[in-house]
Amino acid sequence: MSTHDRLLIIDFGSQVTQLIARRLRELNVYCEIHPYQNVTDAFLADFAPKAVIFSGGPDSVTRDGSPRPPQSVYTMGVPILGICYGQQVMMQDLGGRVEGGKISGGGGTAEFGRAYVEPKGRHDDLLFGWFLDGREQVWMSHGDHVSKLAPGFEVYGTSPNAPFAITGNPARHFYAVQFHPEVHHTPNGKTLYENFVRLAGFTGDWTMGAYREEAIQKIRDQVGNAHVICGLSGGVDSSVTAILLHEAIGDQLTCVFVDHGLLRQNEAEEVVSMFRDHYNIKLIHADERELFLGELDGVTDPEVKRKTIGRLFIDVFQNYANQIEDAEFLAQGTLYPDVIESVSFSGGPSVTIKSHHNVGGLPEKMGLKLVEPLRELFKDEVRALGHELGLPASFIGRHPFPGPGLAIRCPGEITREKLEILRQADAVYIDQIRRHGLYDEIWQAFVAILPVRTVGVMGDGRTYDYACALRAVTSVDGMTADYYPFSHDFLGETATRIINEVQGINRVTYDITSKPPGTIEWE
Ligand code: XMP
């Protein structure tokens, strides 16, 4: 049983509910997001939150059957903060009134975008650090609005279109705001959350040091004396999973690292030496380069490449795992955003743009149970945990690398020759980025080798070699991305180095496509 204080976020379907959790975690407050349908009286009693936040949402409380929390949430005696739709829910439930807003025109009160809130009345605890310059910029996104406050509520802030922008019932510690304090466009929003959790009595006890101890105990309780298999890719998630498990159960853990021949320069050696030599983790290095590259011979279609690699990966992994005696568990580096997505009620099935390569389906196929020690963490928390576990910063801060590896950076046919050229060009490019101190500013950077040869001239001779494309993007989560604005000097210097140092490339281009409409990878 966890020992830290817990905050419950009831999700009414807002696009930005995850950001509320992010803001709170940054304040060292442990919180979980649960869709309103799952939050029953029994759930509330079991979860025992120290405070509750109602998220925003797309519905209208004026509609019969619109999403609501169980009424017992109001009688638990814990502070509640309602955001946007959450404010309207609170007002409607507690005896106020909500009206549908007109989108625009005379008297319309719907509001989308930036607005300014001015103080009214006083609540020094909730609004500590607010209104220091007179007014605060906030982000509004609502159709409906509260037209009458519930009994016991006061107004602390107003905007031209939202007379009840900030409201509260201080006796019950219920607070509600019309805007979204969790988004970037409410610059002082974090302070509001900070004030709320402080007045709710949170002490900020959610730290990675505490998490580490707790996670280790949980793993021991779950696994007992059984053996665990962990697929290690060298990425941050699987690395942290492996190290944490190793701390918890030592030699009961065996990692399997599959080298599919599509890794970057020196990557396999680095991963093996780090985990086997440095951490002393039992590691099977599955050198299956011939198998993968053989099957990929002549394959040019991106989806066929991905499916082939995914299928082989599962076969290979299963083969090696079968050799580990008494294996009962499979460890996976599932993160909290994956968990939330899978229970989200608002998102319909999203379109498959590219089939992702993962080990989904493996546990059932192999009759294994899952251990997922990172299920409660966001990506940056995984990095913090990695740091706590002594993983070198150079490893923790590494750019993401896709499961199918260089295969999807080699449009057209994959040959050993092209892969070797690609590896060398990529190494020079990343070296350039590091030398210029840009690595940490960039979400992901890599070279793609293009399936064309072009004519060039070097020295006195004509060349006919491959062209390559450099890619570098900034992104928050990989879902959208902007190309990185390198200086022309940097691009020129890098192109010169690649052409001089890598035999087989005589032309370098820079990909300036953002996502959308492009994707980050080329295939
Ligand atoms: P795209 O190319 O879809 O990539 O814009 C978004 C992010 O996902 C990574 N990516 C993958 N990661 N297996 C992975 O583990 C895959 O099949 C895969 N495809 C893309 C990509 O590198 C980027 O960070």
Side-chain angles (χ1 to χ4, degrees):
M1 185 61 200
S2 56
T3 50
H4 42 74
D5 295 330
R6 294 142 71 86
L7 187 147
L8 172 66
I9 300 169
I10 302 183
D11 185 15
F12 292 112
S14 161
Q15 299 290 320
V16 290
T17 303
Q18 273 203 37
L19 291 180
I20 304 176
R22 289 299 319 119
R23 296 290 90 81
L24 294 169
R25 295 280 183 98
E26 282 161 17
L27 297 167
N28 295 335
V29 168
Y30 182 77
C31 59
E32 287 183 20
I33 300 173
H34 290 273
Y36 75 94
Q37 304 100 315
N38 297 357
V39 181
T40 58
D41 293 335
F43 176 93
L44 275 178
D46 184 53
F47 192 93
K50 200 179 173 84
V52 177
I53 292 181
F54 296 170
S55 85
D59 215 322
S60 168
V61 297
T62 61
R63 190 183 68 75
D64 277 348
S66 55
R68 294 301 158 82
Q71 294 304 298
S72 60
V73 75
Y74 300 111
T75 52
M76 298 181 81
V78 302
I80 305 177
L81 174 65
I83 312 289
C84 196
Y85 179 84
Q87 179 190 46
Q88 296 158 14
V89 163
M90 200 189 286
M91 288 307 142
Q92 187 91 344
D93 278 353
L94 297 176
R97 199 167 49 234
V98 174
E99 284 175 21
K102 296 181 214 131
I103 297 296
S104 63
T109 50
E111 234 181 333
F112 298 93
R114 210 172 262 111
Y116 291 91
V117 174
E118 304 208 332
K120 185 177 173 188
R122 286 189 65 168
H123 194 300
D124 293 344
D125 284 341
L126 182 69
L127 296 171
F128 179 78
W130 262 53
F131 301 124
L132 297 180
D133 300 324
R135 61 179 197 166
E136 291 285 346
Q137 181 190 311
V138 301
W139 188 255
M140 294 282 190
S141 179
H142 61 99
D144 296 352
H145 67 283
V146 174
S147 58
K148 181 172 151 267
L149 287 179
F153 277 79
E154 303 163 3
V155 182
Y156 304 126
T158 64
S159 80
N161 277 326
F164 303 131
I166 306 175
T167 58
N169 178 337
R172 300 184 75 183
H173 277 326
F174 292 169
Y175 304 95
V177 297
Q178 180 63 84
F179 52 89
H180 288 271
E182 62 277 17
V183 303
H184 184 66
H185 304 288
T186 303
N188 210 3
K190 189 172 166 186
T191 314
L192 208 65
Y193 285 114
E194 196 170 5
N195 294 340
F196 175 68
V197 297
R198 192 180 37 220
L199 67 80
F202 284 85
T203 53
D205 58 2
W206 170 248
T207 61
M208 277 307 130
Y211 181 79
R212 173 186 183 170
E213 297 309 316
E214 211 175 276
I216 287 175
Q217 194 50 50
K218 257 197 198 161
I219 293 168
R220 288 184 182 148
D221 292 345
Q222 188 191 358
V223 169
N225 294 323
H227 278 259
V228 181
I229 306 166
C230 177
L232 190 64
S233 69
V236 180
D237 304 344
S238 69
S239 300
V240 172
T241 303
I243 297 168
L244 191 63
L245 275 154
H246 186 248
E247 274 214 16
I249 56 170
D251 276 354
Q252 284 164 254
L253 170 74
T254 306
C255 290
V256 178
F257 170 65
V258 179
D259 181 351
H260 50 24
L262 300 158
L263 299 169
R264 290 163 292 187
Q265 204 167 57
N266 300 330
E267 192 162 12
E269 295 78 1
E270 280 168 21
V271 171
V272 172
S273 93
M274 161 83 86
F275 289 91
R276 197 183 270 164
D277 305 338
H278 181 77
Y279 278 101
N280 209 12
I281 293 178
K282 269 203 269 177
L283 175 74
I284 298 176
H285 177 186
D287 180 357
E288 296 290 349
R289 289 177 292 182
E290 292 305 316
L291 173 73
F292 281 83
L293 296 182
E295 291 252 351
L296 287 169
D297 197 21
V299 176
T300 55
D301 180 84
E303 277 302 291
V304 179
K305 281 183 190 173
R306 282 170 175 273
K307 296 245 159 70
T308 306
I309 295 166
R311 172 175 56 78
L312 288 178
F313 186 89
I314 290 186
D315 286 353
V316 165
F317 190 84
Q318 205 168 352
N319 261 338
Y320 283 89
N322 282 340
Q323 297 164 20
I324 301 165
E325 281 177 27
D326 306 329
E328 264 183 50
F329 290 90
L330 179 73
Q332 277 187 352
T334 314
L335 303 193
Y336 194 46
D338 310 323
V339 179
I340 310 174
E341 253 161 15
S342 61
V343 296
S344 166
F345 65 92
S346 52
S350 52
V351 200
T352 306
I353 307 284
K354 296 172 184 179
S355 62
H356 271 219
H357 160 225
N358 55 38
V359 290
L362 248 185
E364 299 91 72
K365 234 175 142 179
M366 299 177 61
L368 296 173
K369 291 174 265 184
L370 275 179
V371 197
E372 297 176 305
L374 311 183
R375 264 180 86 85
E376 292 165 350
L377 304 185
F378 285 97
K379 187 83 178 182
D380 50 342
E381 292 174 319
V382 174
R383 293 202 176 100
L385 180 59
H387 183 72
E388 182 74 35
L389 291 165
L391 203 59
S394 58
F395 230 81
I396 293 170
R398 290 207 318 178
H399 291 169
F401 185 63
L406 300 182
I408 58 175
R409 297 176 179 177
C410 188
E413 204 175 337
I414 300 168
T415 65
R416 286 172 176 74
E417 181 209 11
K418 276 160 79 178
L419 287 175
E420 191 41 42
I421 295 172
L422 175 54
R423 275 190 196 102
Q424 289 180 23
D426 192 71
V428 173
Y429 180 42
I430 298 299
D431 181 59
Q432 275 288 104
I433 290 175
R434 285 200 188 276
R435 280 193 199 189
H436 285 257
L438 302 173
Y439 191 84
D440 294 337
E441 274 177 46
I442 292 170
W443 160 269
Q444 203 170 2
F446 57 85
V447 175
I449 183 163
L450 306 185
V452 279
R453 284 171 191 260
T454 70
V455 172
V457 51
M458 277 174 93
D460 291 328
R462 173 188 188 274
T463 58
Y464 187 55
D465 282 332
Y466 286 107
C468 73
L470 311 181
R471 185 83 166 125
V473 295
T474 53
S475 177
V476 177
D477 52 14
M479 303 298 285
T480 59
D482 292 313
Y483 74 85
Y484 187 79
F486 285 124
S487 70
H488 281 272
D489 284 348
F490 174 89
L491 288 170
E493 187 184 303
T494 306
T496 305
R497 269 194 69 191
I498 290 177
I499 290 167
N500 286 344
E501 294 174 35
V502 182
Q503 204 178 358
I505 288 187
N506 67 352
R507 191 176 297 269
V508 176
T509 65
Y510 186 48
D511 178 357
I512 53 166
T513 320
S514 289
K515 174 184 179 175
T519 53
I520 296 175
E521 303 289 348
W522 271 55
E523 287 193 334

